[in-house]
Amino acid sequence: MSTATPATAVQAADIIAEGRSPGAAKPRRSRIRSAYPTWFFIPALALYVVFFAIPTLFSFYFSLTRWTLFDSQFIGFENYVQFFQDPQLYTSFIHTFVYAVLTSGAKVVIGFLLALLLTGPIVGRGYLRAVVFFPVLLSTIGVGILWKSLLDPFHGMVNAVLGFFGLPQPGWFTDPNLALYSIAGVDIWKGIGIATLIFMAGIVAIPNEYFEAARMDGASSWRILREITIPLSRGAVATVIILSLIGGLRSFDIIWATTGGGPGFTSDVLASVIYKQYQAGFYGLSTAGNVILFLVVTVIMVPLSYVLNRKQVEL
C-alpha cells in the first residue's frame, strides 16, 4: 500500500481546484496584444499627416512650378537655379550659420551656468527661476518691438543710460557691424529660460548619492562638476543644442521685428530672404527657398542628433 507524499497531495489539490485531468496541459495565456492602445495614436497621426506630411509633399511639388492662388505652371528646377543665383544668398547663408551657432552656443553655456545656480541653495531661488523663465512667455514679435525701442540709437533707454555715464552710444540695430549680433543677444535673452529649465531638469535627475559619495571622498566642487554633473547631464546638453540650433537656423520673426534684415542686407538670414521673395510675388521661388531651408536643417541636424544621442548611450 503506497502513501502519498505532501508534494503529491498538493498537486492533486491543484488539479481538483482547476477542474482538469492529471494528464491535461496547463492552458496557455493568449499572447495576442490588444489593439486598444493603438487607437490613442490615431489623432496625433492624423494631425501630423494633415498639417505636416501633406503640406511638405505639396511644397516639394510647388517648388518646381510657377504658381499663384489660381493656377500653376511646371518649370522643373528653374526656381532652384534662380534662387542660387541670388547675389544675397551666400551672405544670408553665412549670417544664418553665424546666428545659429552664436545663439545656440550662448544658450548652452549661459543656460547651464544659470541651472547650476538655480539648483543650488540660494536665497530667493523660486523668484529667480521665475525671472529667468519669464521672457519665454512673451510673444517673439513683442520682444522684438520692445528691444527695438530700448536699443533705439537716439531715444532708447539703453543708450540714455550709457550716455549718462559718458560711454559710447552705438547704433545697435542701425550699425551694419552690430545689427546681427544685437539680434542674437535679444534671441538669447528670450530663449535662455527654456535652456535653463532643461538643464535644471537634467541636474535634478542626478541621484544625490553620487554627490554625497564624492564629497565623502574629498572631491572638490570643480571635480564634482567635471566628473559627475556635466557627464550625467549630457542628455540635457544634447537636447538644448538640438532645439536651439534648429531655432537659430529657422529664425525669422525676431529678425523681422527688429531690423527687417537691414540695414541693407547686413542682418538678412535665409528665412528673411525667402520672405522677401514671397512679398515680391515670387511664390514658386520662395517655396523653393523653403525646401532648401528644410534640407539644410535636415542635413545638419540628423547627423548631429545621431552623434549626440550615441554619445549619450555610450555614457
Side-chain angles (χ1 to χ4, degrees):
M1 181 175 179
S2 61
T3 60
T5 63
T8 305
V10 171
Q11 292 177 357
D14 290 341
I15 292 173
I16 295 172
E18 295 177 5
R20 57 185 175 88
S21 60
K26 293 183 179 181
R28 295 183 179 180
R29 293 182 179 179
S30 176
R31 295 185 178 182
I32 300 177
R33 298 181 61 182
S34 172
Y36 175 72
T38 308
W39 292 99
F40 289 99
F41 293 99
I42 293 179
L45 179 62
L47 292 174
Y48 177 83
V49 171
V50 172
F51 292 105
F52 181 79
I54 294 177
T56 299
L57 295 177
F58 272 99
S59 295
F60 278 98
Y61 168 73
F62 280 109
S63 69
L64 304 174
T65 66
R66 183 180 292 112
W67 64 273
T68 64
L69 294 176
F70 306 102
D71 62 352
S72 63
Q73 177 186 358
F74 186 83
I75 58 174
F77 291 96
E78 184 177 331
N79 284 327
Y80 291 94
V81 174
Q82 185 177 352
F83 188 86
F84 281 106
Q85 289 176 346
D86 189 332
Q88 299 302 325
L89 179 64
Y90 176 77
T91 304
S92 66
F93 262 116
I94 298 298
H95 290 167
T96 300
F97 292 130
V98 170
Y99 185 90
V101 172
L102 181 61
T103 54
S104 61
K107 288 175 184 177
V108 170
V109 175
I110 300 174
F112 186 75
L113 294 177
L114 287 174
L116 288 176
L117 176 66
L118 297 177
T119 52
I122 60 172
V123 178
R125 183 172 60 180
Y127 172 75
L128 293 176
R129 287 178 177 178
V131 169
V132 170
F133 191 75
F134 176 74
V136 179
L137 305 177
L138 302 178
S139 164
T140 304
I141 299 297
V143 168
I145 295 173
L146 170 66
W147 280 100
K148 186 177 182 179
S149 175
L150 292 175
L151 298 178
D152 186 274
F154 303 107
H155 309 291
M157 183 183 297
V158 174
N159 277 5
V161 174
L162 294 176
F164 179 79
F165 290 101
L167 299 174
Q169 304 174 49
W172 301 99
F173 294 135
T174 57
D175 187 343
N177 297 319
L178 286 178
L180 186 66
Y181 302 103
S182 300
I183 301 169
V186 175
D187 191 344
I188 293 167
W189 176 82
K190 185 187 186 308
I192 199 65
I194 287 291
T196 303
L197 183 66
I198 295 173
F199 280 127
M200 287 173 56
I203 293 173
V204 171
I206 301 175
N208 196 43
E209 290 80 2
Y210 294 168
F211 299 107
E212 294 176 353
R215 294 189 187 98
M216 291 179 63
D217 290 340
S220 63
S221 299
W222 168 248
R223 188 175 180 184
I224 292 175
L225 173 65
R226 181 167 52 89
E227 298 186 7
I228 296 179
T229 307
I230 294 178
L232 295 182
S233 301
R234 188 164 293 178
V237 173
T239 302
V240 173
I241 290 176
I242 292 172
L243 293 179
S244 59
L245 196 56
I246 291 176
L249 291 171
R250 297 173 56 251
S251 184
F252 164 75
D253 40 9
I254 198 165
I255 294 174
W256 197 256
T258 50
T259 65
F265 303 100
T266 54
S267 62
D268 256 334
V269 293
L270 196 56
S272 61
V273 170
I274 294 170
Y275 183 72
K276 288 179 179 179
Q277 292 169 344
Y278 182 83
Q279 276 188 319
F282 301 113
Y283 304 128
L285 186 61
S286 63
T287 306
N290 278 314
V291 172
I292 292 172
L293 179 59
F294 170 78
L295 295 177
V296 167
V297 174
T298 303
V299 167
I300 294 175
M301 297 313 304
V302 169
L304 180 62
S305 177
Y306 172 77
V307 172
L308 292 174
N309 289 329
R310 186 181 63 178
K311 288 184 178 180
Q312 179 181 349
V313 172
E314 289 177 354
L315 181 66

